[in-house]
Amino acid sequence: MIRGRHQEPAGERESGLADETEGFLLAHAHRDQARREAEELCAGMPWLTTAQAEELTGHYVRRRLDVTRDLLLTTALRAGQLRQEYEARYVGLRRALLKRHAAGVCAVLVCVGGASALACLLTR
């Protein structure tokens, strides 16, 4: 490994590329869907001129993409919050389980020590 450079494992690079490609395709699918909806809306208004229909379509697509972006950002933010909450809870549960196991081991050792001491006393 070269000093000062971080090399990602091949699987992580491929996964990142796949995620980026999926995001790109989803963004284009949302844009295409918004454009179809805008064109359907304009088709219901035959009095619009071609320029007005194009302007309305452009405005609708931009607004729809803004709303979609806001929803995705809100969802990603909430997912991050939930992840932090779950990780904190997991750490707490793991710590409590470790304490219980340590207490159980101590209790077993005390019992074994007591039984050993009793056996030594009884054999004398």
Side-chain angles (χ1 to χ4, degrees):
M1 185 168 163
I2 300 172
R3 186 177 195 98
R5 287 191 180 189
H6 174 71
Q7 294 182 349
E8 296 178 2
E12 288 181 20
R13 269 181 282 167
E14 291 169 1
S15 176
L17 180 60
D19 291 344
E20 189 174 329
T21 302
E22 181 183 14
F24 178 80
L25 293 173
L26 284 172
H28 278 279
H30 281 287
R31 190 190 71 220
D32 292 343
Q33 177 66 28
R35 182 165 300 284
R36 281 192 299 273
E37 290 174 6
E39 288 170 355
E40 288 175 12
L41 176 66
C42 291
M45 295 185 239
W47 59 87
L48 293 176
T49 64
T50 303
Q52 290 172 331
E54 287 175 2
E55 184 179 344
L56 180 60
T57 299
H59 177 72
Y60 182 88
V61 169
R62 283 189 303 278
R63 184 67 187 128
R64 173 77 185 280
L65 292 178
D66 289 343
V67 169
T68 301
R69 185 179 303 111
D70 290 343
L71 288 172
L72 290 173
L73 290 174
T74 302
T75 301
L77 179 65
R78 183 63 182 141
Q81 291 170 347
L82 287 174
R83 180 182 179 139
Q84 288 177 349
E85 290 174 21
Y86 286 139
E87 286 177 353
R89 181 70 177 143
Y90 175 75
V91 167
L93 290 172
R94 192 173 64 190
R95 186 175 296 125
L97 183 64
L98 180 61
K99 287 179 184 178
R100 288 184 186 134
H101 278 87
V105 168
C106 289
V108 167
L109 289 175
V110 167
C111 289
V112 168
S116 177
L118 183 62
C120 285
L121 288 175
L122 292 176
T123 59
R124 283 188 184 176

